[in-house]
C-alpha cells in the first residue's frame, strides 16, 4: 500500500518550474556536479542541479570502485594530483566510513629493472607518446616510497610492503609462481559509488531546505533528474523535462557545466561550441567465481601487462570484478564492454592466477563508461592527465564555467575549487569548509565490532538483528531511517535475496526514482551481483508500483525498458549467464 502523501516523482521538476531561477545552475549530475551542488548549498548559495538521465548514471556509474591516489600517475609527473588524491582518499576514509574502507592491494612483479629508463623518457621527452613498458620492481618501489610520503599526514592506511617470491606465494598460493616479488600497499575501496553520490546529493538538498511552513519552491538547493539542457534563449537555459515532455526556461547568474565526457556536447547545445574533451573508454566485467574469489584472499590484485596497461582483479560483494581497459572513445556513441575487451581480460588473468580458468559463463554483469579526460591528441590513453581544470566563458551575459577532467577520488577537492571560483563570480565568501564534513550515513556510523553491536541493539527495535546489520552495511547510519519505514517482519523478495518489498518501496518514496532501472542499477546492487530474471524485474516493479503510481501497463513497460537497458548497456541476458550477443566488436 502506498504511503499517505507519497511525493510526486517529478516534484523536483515542479519546484524548478515554479521558481525558474537561481544564482547557480549546474548541468550534470555525476559525482563532480553533485559535490559542487553540495559545496554551494552549504555556503548558502541558491543552487539548482539537473541531469539529462538519472543521477550518477553517466561516467560516474562506471568507476573501478576505488578511492586511490593513483600511484601510476607518478610516472606522468602528476605529483600535485597524486598528493591531492591521497589526501582526499584519507578524508573519505574518515568522512564516509560507511562506503569507503581500506583496500589491501597487491602488485605481482615479474621484472626487476624494467621501466627505469623508459619511464623518465616518456615523462620528460616523449610526453606519454609511444608504447609503455612493464614496470619492474625498482620503479614500483620508488613510486610506492613517494606514495607513502604523500600518505604520511593522514595516518589512515599502513605503509607499503615488498616481499620476495617465497613469502608472496605463502600468502597467495594461487599466484603465478614465475613472480619475482610482490608489492602490497593500501588504498581504499568504494563498494557503493552510486549510493555515496546519492548521500552527497541528499546532504546538499538538506542544506538548502526551506524553514518549516515555507513552500517547497523556496528551497535554496533543488535537484532534478531526467531534465535536459537543450539550448540558451532569452537570457536563460532552456530545460526539457524528459518525463513530462515540456520545455521551460531557467535563469541563473552562473551556469556550471559538469557533464563529464559530454561537456562539449552540452556547450554546443547552449550555443557555445568547445573542444575541451577527449575521453577514453574503460570497461569491467563481474564474475561469479568462488575459486577466483578465494584466490584473492580479500585483496585487490593490481596487475600490469607487458604493454603497460593495468588490469585489476577485485573481490567485491561476493563476486570478482575485473577491469579495466583504456581506449580512445567517442562520447556520442554508446559505451559497452566488447568481446575483444573480454578476451583481453581473459588473456591476462592467467598471468596472475595460471591455475584458475575463467570463462564467459562466469560473467554475470558488465559495465563500461567514458572517462571525462581532456583532449589529448596522440598521447597514449593511459598517460592522459587525470587532473582537472576550470574553463571560463559566457552565455550571452551569463557567466559560465566548464569542468574539464576530474576523477572520483578528488570530487570533494574539485568541488571546493569549483565552488570557490563560483563564489568569486557571485561576489560571496565561503562560510564553511567541507574537509571534515561527514557524508550522509557516515555520521555516527559504528566502526568497530563493539560499537556496531550497540548500534544494532539501539536502532533495531523489533527487527531481526541480521536485517538491521545488513541495512547498516547498505546505508550507514541512515539505516535508522529505513528501519522506521519497515514493519517488524518485512516481506522478502523471492527473486532478489536480501531485499524486501518495503525497503525498495522506501527507496522509491525518498530517492527520486523514476524508472525501474534506477533501482536495479543505482539505488541497489541487484544488477551488479547478477542472477536477474524476468521474474526479478516483475517482482521489483510490483513492489514499488504503489509508491510510484504505476499501473499494470506501466509496470510491463518498465520491465521491458529495464530488460533492454540491461541487454544493450550491460550485456545481461535475463535468466542466463555469460554475455548477450553484441553486433559489433572493436579491438581493445
Amino acid at each position: 500500500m502506498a504511503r499517505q502523501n507519497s511525493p510526486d516523482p517529478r516534484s523536483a521538476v515542479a519546484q524548478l518550474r515554479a521558481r525558474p531561477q537561481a544564482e547557480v545552475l549546474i548541468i550534470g549530475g555525476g559525482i563532480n556536479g553533485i559535490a559542487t551542488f553540495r559545496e554551494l548549498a552549504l555556503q548558502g548559495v541558491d543552487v539548482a542541479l539537473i541531469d539529462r538521465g538519472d543521477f550518477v548514471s553517466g561516467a560516474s556509474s562506471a568507476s573501478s570502485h576505488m578511492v586511490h591516489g593513483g600511484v601510476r600517475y607518478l610516472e606522468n609527473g602528476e605529483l600535485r594530483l597524486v598528493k591531492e588524491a591521497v589526501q582526499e582518499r584519507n578524508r573519505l576514509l574518515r568522512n564516509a566510513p560507511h562506503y569507503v574502507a581500506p583496500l589491501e592491494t597487491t602488485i605481482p612483479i615479474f621484472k626487476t629493472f624494467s621501466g627505469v629508463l623508459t619511464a623518465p623518457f616518456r615523462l620528460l621527452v616523449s610526453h606519454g607518446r609511444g608504447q609503455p613498458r612493464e614496470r619492474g620492481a625498482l620503479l614500483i618501489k620508488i613510486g610506492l616510497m613517494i606514495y607513502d610520503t604523500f600518505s604520511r599526514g593522514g595516518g589512515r592506511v599502513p605503509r607499503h610492503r615488498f616481499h620476495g617470491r617465497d613469502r608472496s606465494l605463502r600468502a597467495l598460493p594461487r599466484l603465478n609462481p614465475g613472480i619475482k616479488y610482490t608489492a602490497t600497499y593500501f588504498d581504499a575501496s568504494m563498494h557503493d559509488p552510486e549510493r555515496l553520490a546519492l548521500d552527497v546529493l541528499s546532504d546538499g538538498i538538506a542544506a538548502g531546505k526551506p524553514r518549516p511552513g515555507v513552500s517547497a519552491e523556496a528551497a535554496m538547493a533543488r535537484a532534478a533528474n531526467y531534465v535536459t539542457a537543450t539550448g540558451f534563449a532569452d537570457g536563460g537555459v532552456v530545460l526539457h523535462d524528459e518525463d513530462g515532455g515540456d520545455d521551460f526556461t531557467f535563469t541563473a547568474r552562473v551556469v556550471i557545466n559538469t557533464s563529464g565526457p559530454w561537456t562539449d556536447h552540452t556547450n554546443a547545445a547552449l550555443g557555445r561550441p568547445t573542444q575541451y574533451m577527449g575521453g577514453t573508454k574503460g570497461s569491467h566485467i563481474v564474475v561469479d567465481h568462488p575459486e577466483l574469489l578465494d584466490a584473492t584472499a580479500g585483496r585487490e590484485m593490481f596487475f600490469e601487462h607487458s604493454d603497460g596497461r593495468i588490469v585489476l582483479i577485485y573481490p567485491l560483494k561476493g563476486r570478482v570484478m575485473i577491469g579495466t581497459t583504456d581506449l580512445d572513445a567517442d562520447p556520442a556513441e554508446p559505451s559497452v564492454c566488447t568481446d575483444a575487451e573480454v578476451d583481453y581480460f581473459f588473456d591476462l588473468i592467467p598471468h596472475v592466477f595460471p591455475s584458475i580458468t575463467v570463462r564467459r559463463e562466469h560473467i554475470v554483469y558488465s559495465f563500461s563508461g567514458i572517462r571525462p579526460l581532456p583532449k589529448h591528441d596522440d598521447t597514449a590513453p593511459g598517460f592522459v592527465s587525470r587532473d582537472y581544470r576550470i574553463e571560463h566563458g559566457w552565455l550571452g551575459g551569463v557567466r559560465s564555467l566548464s569542468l574539464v577532467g576530474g576523477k572520483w577520488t578528488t570530487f570533494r577537492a574539485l568541488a571546493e575549487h569549483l565552488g570557490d571560483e563560483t563564489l568569486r563570480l557571485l561576489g560571496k565568501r565561503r562560510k564553511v569548509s567541507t574537509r571534515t564534513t561527514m557524508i550522509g550515513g557516515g555520521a555516527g556510523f559504528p566502526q568497530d565490532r563493539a560499537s556496531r553491536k550497540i548500534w544494532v541493539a539501539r536502532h533495531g527495535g523489533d527487527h531481526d538483528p541480521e536485517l538491521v546489520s545488513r541495512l547498516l552495511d547498505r546505508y550507514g547510519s541512515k539505516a535508522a531511517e529505513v528501519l522506521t519505514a519497515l514493519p517488524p517482519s518485512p516481506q522478502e523478495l523471492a527473486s532478489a535475496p536480501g531485499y524486501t518489498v518495503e525497503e525498495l518501496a522506501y527507496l522509491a518514496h525518498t530517492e527520486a526514482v523514476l524508472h525501474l532501472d534506477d533501482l536495479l542499477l543505482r539505488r541497489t546492487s541487484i544488477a551488479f551481483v547478477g542472477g536477474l530474471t524476468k521474474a526479478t524485474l516483475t517482482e521489483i516493479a510490483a513492489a514499488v508500483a504503489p509508491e510510484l503510481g504505476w499501473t499494470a501497463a506501466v509496470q510491463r513497460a518498465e520491465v521491458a525498458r529495464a530488460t533492454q537497458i540491461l541487454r544493450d548497456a550491460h550485456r545481461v541476458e535475463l535468466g542466463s549467464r555469460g554475455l548477450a550477443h553484441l553486433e559489433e566488436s572493436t579491438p581493445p
Side-chain angles (χ1 to χ4, degrees):
M1 180 178 294
R3 289 179 185 81
Q4 292 184 345
N5 301 318
S6 290
D8 175 359
R10 306 307 283 159
S11 60
V13 181
Q15 288 181 18
L16 296 180
R17 275 205 204 90
R19 185 169 68 85
Q21 68 268 340
E23 291 177 294
V24 178
L25 173 64
I26 300 173
I27 302 173
I31 184 56
N32 292 320
I34 285 173
T36 304
F37 172 79
R38 179 188 76 144
E39 193 77 32
L40 292 172
L42 289 169
Q43 313 312 319
V45 173
D46 184 6
V47 57
L49 177 143
I50 60 162
D51 193 280
R52 66 177 182 175
D54 190 19
F55 301 121
V56 214
S57 62
S60 297
S61 69
S63 79
S64 293
H65 292 62
M66 294 164 57
V67 175
H68 65 105
V71 64
R72 69 190 183 98
Y73 305 153
L74 293 171
E75 191 174 335
N76 295 14
E78 297 186 272
L79 300 182
R80 187 212 71 80
L81 175 63
V82 174
K83 182 177 182 180
E84 178 181 78
V86 169
Q87 291 172 339
E88 290 302 308
R89 178 202 67 193
N90 290 343
R91 288 188 177 114
L92 278 169
L93 285 166
R94 180 176 56 246
N95 297 338
H98 57 319
Y99 291 136
V100 180
L103 176 64
E104 188 174 13
T105 303
T106 293
I107 307 173
I109 305 171
F110 295 84
K111 297 182 180 180
T112 302
F113 299 107
S114 179
V116 172
L117 297 179
T118 57
F121 180 83
R122 288 178 59 80
L123 171 62
L124 301 174
V125 180
S126 65
H127 304 292
R129 295 173 178 83
Q131 289 297 317
R133 290 185 59 192
E134 183 178 358
R135 288 88 169 168
L138 181 57
L139 187 64
I140 292 171
K141 179 69 174 178
I142 293 170
L144 289 176
M145 288 173 65
I146 298 172
Y147 206 56
D148 282 345
T149 300
F150 288 156
S151 299
R152 187 174 297 164
R156 308 299 300 181
V157 298
R159 291 177 173 272
H160 81 274
R161 308 186 303 272
F162 243 81
H163 294 311
R165 176 182 178 276
D166 291 346
R167 186 168 178 181
S168 299
L169 292 176
R170 283 197 298 272
L172 297 162
R174 303 297 293 271
L175 265 184
N176 188 335
I179 61 168
K180 288 190 175 181
Y181 317 90
T182 59
T184 297
Y185 67 101
F186 279 81
D187 262 326
S189 69
M190 177 174 56
H191 57 81
D192 282 292
E194 292 84 357
R195 291 225 54 87
L196 174 58
L198 290 169
D199 263 13
V200 176
L201 177 66
S202 178
D203 288 349
I205 292 172
K209 274 190 175 178
R211 298 184 306 276
V214 179
S215 69
E217 288 74 24
M220 296 285 280
R222 296 167 288 165
N225 51 0
Y226 295 101
V227 174
T228 303
T230 60
F232 188 86
D234 302 322
V237 178
V238 179
L239 302 182
H240 177 74
D241 180 357
E242 295 292 339
D243 181 54
D246 58 334
D247 295 346
F248 59 101
T249 300
F250 196 94
T251 59
R253 292 175 59 188
V254 180
V255 175
I256 304 177
N257 181 354
T258 56
S259 49
W262 301 280
T263 294
D264 291 332
H265 294 263
T266 299
N267 283 337
L270 297 177
R272 182 180 173 261
T274 56
Q275 293 185 354
Y276 297 142
M277 308 305 297
T280 69
K281 172 188 173 187
S283 296
H284 301 74
I285 58 174
V286 179
V287 299
D288 186 357
H289 197 302
E291 186 182 13
L292 181 61
L293 180 66
D294 183 66
T296 65
R299 306 184 190 189
E300 178 194 45
M301 306 305 300
F302 194 70
F303 173 69
E304 181 184 38
H305 192 33
S306 57
D307 64 0
R309 292 191 193 178
I310 300 297
V311 176
L312 53 92
I313 300 173
Y314 184 171
L316 193 64
K317 299 180 183 295
R319 305 291 183 263
V320 181
M321 187 178 73
I322 303 166
T324 175
T325 48
D326 206 350
L327 315 171
D328 286 322
D330 181 356
E333 299 294 326
S335 183
V336 62
C337 181
T338 65
D339 291 336
E341 289 175 292
V342 173
D343 289 341
Y344 179 74
F345 295 143
F346 282 1
D347 286 344
L348 291 181
I349 293 170
H351 288 268
V352 185
F353 297 116
S355 63
I356 296 176
T357 301
V358 181
R359 296 183 298 270
R360 273 177 162 71
E361 56 262 36
H362 291 121
I363 300 174
V364 296
Y365 187 66
S366 74
F367 59 99
S368 183
I370 299 180
R371 302 174 182 90
L373 303 182
K375 188 176 180 181
H376 53 271
D377 299 320
D378 59 345
T379 299
F383 282 80
V384 180
S385 174
R386 266 54 174 177
D387 212 340
Y388 55 88
R389 70 179 193 268
I390 301 167
E391 295 282 355
H392 287 249
W394 291 87
L395 298 170
V398 177
R399 297 300 299 263
S400 71
L401 299 173
S402 295
L403 174 65
V404 180
K407 57 200 286 305
W408 250 101
T409 301
T410 55
F411 74 78
R412 192 217 60 84
L414 182 156
E416 183 178 70
H417 294 154
L418 194 47
D420 284 341
E421 196 65 19
T422 305
L423 291 171
R424 186 182 68 79
L425 295 178
L426 294 173
K428 294 191 171 188
R429 296 189 176 212
R430 172 174 290 277
K431 294 181 179 179
V432 297
S433 169
T434 53
R435 295 187 180 189
T436 59
T437 302
M438 300 299 289
I439 295 174
F445 179 72
Q447 298 187 55
D448 58 64
R449 185 175 298 179
S451 58
R452 184 184 182 91
K453 187 175 181 180
I454 292 170
W455 195 98
V456 169
R458 181 174 297 164
H459 297 276
D462 295 330
H463 294 103
D464 184 338
E466 183 179 337
L467 168 67
V468 178
S469 184
R470 187 165 68 233
L471 295 182
L472 183 59
D473 288 336
R474 280 187 192 148
Y475 308 108
S477 61
K478 282 192 170 186
E481 300 170 17
V482 182
L483 286 163
T484 61
L486 269 58
S489 299
Q491 181 183 344
E492 289 272 351
L493 289 170
S495 57
Y499 286 91
T500 66
V501 169
E502 294 84 357
E503 178 185 350
L504 296 188
Y506 175 83
L507 297 179
H509 179 79
T510 59
E511 293 192 346
V513 170
L514 185 62
H515 293 294
L516 180 58
D517 50 282
D518 299 340
L519 273 170
L520 296 170
L521 300 172
R522 290 169 290 277
R523 305 306 186 279
T524 72
S525 301
I526 292 172
F528 185 92
V529 299
L532 292 177
T533 65
K534 186 175 180 180
T536 310
L537 272 57
T538 302
E539 186 179 21
I540 293 172
V544 300
E547 289 293 345
L548 299 175
W550 288 353
T551 63
V554 172
Q555 291 177 57
R556 289 192 295 270
E558 286 295 328
V559 168
R561 170 192 159 99
T563 300
Q564 192 71 36
I565 289 173
L566 287 164
R567 180 181 176 83
D568 292 349
H570 303 283
R571 302 190 63 186
V572 171
E573 195 76 71
L574 296 180
S576 66
R577 293 191 176 204
L579 294 175
H581 178 66
L582 189 65
E583 291 298 328
E584 295 184 5
S585 183
T586 55

